[in-house]
Amino acid sequence: MLVVPLLVLTLFVFALVDLILRRSDHVKHLPKVAWVFIVILLPLIGSILWFAVGREYETSVSRPRTLRMPATRSDPWSASGRSRASDLDPASTEAQLAALEREIEDAERAERIRRLEDELRRRSDTGETA
């Protein structure tokens, strides 16, 4: 019934999207544009050929990318705070969250201190007493 055409259409769309999003240096045997024409003109055969012959697969197992927090508490935007290889620690998610919570608490504490200093300065300027 409609199952086979839907499978062919799904394979075609998946192959075309994969082909378009793939970098040119990860395409084998033909230029990327030629593969696009083959997949469009011959949807079933072109899609099968793309996945069997034209697509370059990763040969090495790469580690997934993870968010890495600097081990030091320096400003990450300052020149001295630029990360050295020794400053980056592949910490667990819990450690990263704990470091982020400490940073938020430090920022909130600094903001409270700034507000209190402003209030004291305003009171001293107007001559008020506590």
Side-chain angles (χ1 to χ4, degrees), residues 8-26:
V8 171
L9 180 66
T10 303
L11 179 67
F12 166 71
V13 169
F14 188 68
L16 195 59
V17 168
D18 183 58
L19 175 59
I20 291 170
L21 295 179
R22 186 151 302 273
R23 291 189 349 224
S24 294
D25 60 334
H26 287 175

Side-chain angles (χ1 to χ4, degrees), residues 65-69 89-101:
R65 295 181 184 176
T66 59
L67 177 66
R68 296 173 190 246
M69 302 284 292
D89 181 28
S92 67
T93 304
E94 292 83 13
Q96 291 175 1
L97 287 173
L100 186 58
E101 287 173 356

Side-chain angles (χ1 to χ4, degrees), residues 76-117:
W77 302 110
S78 67
S80 64
R82 302 258 164 128
S83 60
R84 298 183 304 256
S86 61
D87 288 346
L88 295 178
D89 181 28
S92 67
T93 304
E94 292 83 13
Q96 291 175 1
L97 287 173
L100 186 58
E101 287 173 356
R102 283 191 306 272
E103 188 176 332
I104 291 170
E105 288 171 2
D106 291 345
E108 289 172 347
R109 188 177 305 115
E111 179 63 22
R112 281 194 306 263
I113 290 171
R114 187 193 60 77
R115 276 189 264 130
L116 287 172
E117 287 173 343

Side-chain angles (χ1 to χ4, degrees), residues 45-87:
I45 296 170
S47 299
I48 293 171
L49 282 174
W50 164 248
F51 287 114
V53 181
R55 185 179 196 270
E56 185 172 307
Y57 292 93
E58 295 289 328
T59 55
S60 64
V61 177
S62 62
R63 291 179 29 178
R65 295 181 184 176
T66 59
L67 177 66
R68 296 173 190 246
M69 302 284 292
T72 61
R73 300 198 38 131
S74 64
D75 184 354
W77 302 110
S78 67
S80 64
R82 302 258 164 128
S83 60
R84 298 183 304 256
S86 61
D87 288 346

